[in-house]
């Protein structure tokens, strides 16, 4: 059976859990993970109630021991991993360049970039064992040089002026770095038959109050699932939203 691990999938309203649900519906055994096992145990049970094969795993991107233990558990149960969805990320506040706290900046890079790298590195032997691994780095148009308005201007109801007052430069830079990491990973892992792509889910309603201008979570997750289930001759080292390539 094909297996998929989704990091940061411990919030029912989040993109990670919805991605797990959609991959499960496609026949994957999905491993939902979060910093604390208590966050994901009930979610895995909920998926099982829907007829989806699911397990729960504690996985904290910032804790090497946690990442190692998680990898050992997956190895013991499956001996391989077919899909890694690097979904976990964080944004600490929204001050811009002038006001940003450097400790917060470090934490964001540590999680979104170094943490993603660390999880990918640790699970690499299992992805190679799959023979046709897929890595999806959940990124954002905010990190694109081409899309400085985050693709938002086309969303009906979006209030650019209000959003413009909330710069997210630090978070955006972590996604720029993640896009760069996607390219490097894709190049290095090609010979292992692993396809690596970055996906922007679009502005998605994963927080209360955002439904007015953001898309439903099921729509945001679709593009992630698309990249996770690419055929063997599919693209690698590219950036997508809704299965359509985005410029960096
Ligand atoms: N929603 C959007 O409009 C949008 C747009 C573009 C890109 N994205 C990207 O989509 C992904 C999912 O976002 P979302 O909107 O669904 O938000 P979310 O629910 O906050 O998802 C992020 C998850 O990452 C987890 N996380 C943070 N630090 C972690 C760590 N050290 N170890 C393990 N897990 C950790 C969080 O866990 P806790 O719940 O425990 O804090 C949270 O569940 C993120 O990569 C985000 O940048 C979202």
């Amino acid at each position: 059976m094909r297996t998929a691990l989704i990091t940061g999938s411990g919030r029912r309203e989040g993109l990670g859990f919805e991605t797990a649900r959609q991959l499960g519906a496609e026949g994957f055994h999905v491993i939902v993970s979060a910093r604390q096992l208590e966050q994901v145990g009930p979610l895995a049970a909920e998926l099982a109630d829907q007829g989806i094969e699911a397990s729960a795993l504690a996985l904290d991107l910032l804790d090497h021991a946690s990442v190692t233990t998680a990898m050992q558990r997956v190895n013991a149960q499956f001996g391989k991993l077919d899909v890694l969805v690097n979904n976990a990320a964080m944004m600490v506040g929204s001050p811009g360049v002038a006001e940003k706290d450097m400790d917060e900046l470090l934490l964001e890079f540590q999680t979104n970039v170094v943490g993603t790298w660390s999880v990918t590195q640790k699970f690499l032997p299992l992805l190679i064992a799959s023979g046709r691994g897929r890595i999806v780095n959940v990124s954002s148009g905010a990190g694109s040089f081409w899309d400085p308005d985050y693709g938002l201007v086309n969303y009906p109801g979006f209030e650019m002026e209000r959003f413009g007052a909330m710069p997210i430069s630090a978070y955006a830079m972590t996604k720029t770095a993640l896009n760069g990491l996607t390219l490097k990973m894709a190049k290095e892992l090609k010979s292992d038959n692993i396809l690596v792509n970055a996906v922007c889910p679009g502005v998605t309603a994963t927080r209360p109050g955002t439904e007015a201008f953001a898309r439903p979570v099921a729509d945001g997750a679709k593009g992630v699932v698309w990249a996770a289930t690419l055929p063997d001759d599919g693209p690698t080292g590219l950036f997508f939203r809704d299965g359509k390539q985005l410029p960096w």
Side-chain angles (χ1 to χ4, degrees):
M1 183 169 218
R2 290 177 301 165
T3 49
L5 167 64
I6 304 95
T7 65
S9 43
R11 271 187 64 234
R12 181 177 285 97
E13 307 76 16
L15 278 156
F17 181 59
E18 175 59 20
T19 299
R21 200 191 58 71
Q22 292 187 18
L23 282 171
E26 293 215 9
F28 281 81
H29 181 113
V30 289
I31 305 161
V32 285
S33 68
R35 284 181 270 222
Q36 305 295 330
L37 193 58
E38 302 83 74
Q39 293 173 266
V40 270
L43 295 181
E46 194 175 312
L47 291 176
D49 286 345
Q50 295 170 26
I52 289 170
E53 280 212 31
S55 336
L57 196 64
L59 199 171
D60 182 342
L61 268 62
L62 297 178
D63 178 348
H64 290 307
S66 159
V67 179
T68 302
T69 305
M71 184 277 289
Q72 288 166 342
R73 296 234 158 99
V74 175
N75 188 29
Q77 195 177 353
F78 303 102
K80 63 154 188 173
L81 181 66
D82 298 299
V83 168
L84 171 63
V85 179
N86 285 316
N87 169 77
M90 69 182 322
M91 177 164 68
V92 194
S94 58
V97 173
E99 303 87 20
K100 186 71 183 174
D101 179 284
M102 291 298 119
D103 290 332
E104 288 183 357
L105 177 67
L106 267 178
L107 183 60
E108 284 171 278
F109 268 88
Q110 203 98 43
T111 304
N112 303 359
V113 184
V114 183
T116 297
W117 191 328
S118 154
V119 170
T120 306
Q121 182 183 74
K122 193 57 82 178
F123 280 87
L124 210 44
L126 301 188
L127 287 157
I128 292 170
S130 152
R132 44 177 314 222
R134 306 284 181 265
I135 298 171
V136 184
N137 292 328
V138 183
S139 185
S140 170
S144 164
F145 291 104
W146 160 85
D147 194 11
D149 295 331
Y150 321 125
L152 285 165
V153 279
N154 296 326
Y155 283 77
F158 181 69
E159 297 167 45
M160 184 45 110
E161 277 175 25
R162 207 177 66 178
F163 196 79
M166 279 194 348
I168 52 169
S169 309
Y171 165 82
M173 287 304 301
T174 68
K175 296 299 188 180
T176 310
L178 182 64
N179 286 353
L181 182 58
T182 301
L183 266 174
K184 301 298 178 197
M185 283 179 175
K187 201 171 170 188
E188 289 188 31
L189 304 181
K190 199 165 189 168
S191 58
D192 294 312
N193 286 327
I194 298 174
L195 305 181
V196 191
N197 291 291
V199 170
C200 170
V203 178
T204 307
T206 58
R207 301 279 168 183
T210 55
E211 303 84 359
F213 59 82
R215 70 202 312 208
V217 71
D219 292 351
K222 254 185 222 161
V224 178
V225 170
W226 172 83
T229 54
L230 285 170
D232 292 346
D233 61 353
T236 191
L238 297 174
F239 185 28
F240 296 96
R241 183 188 295 135
D242 297 331
K244 294 188 187 71
Q245 193 182 339
L246 295 178
W248 299 110

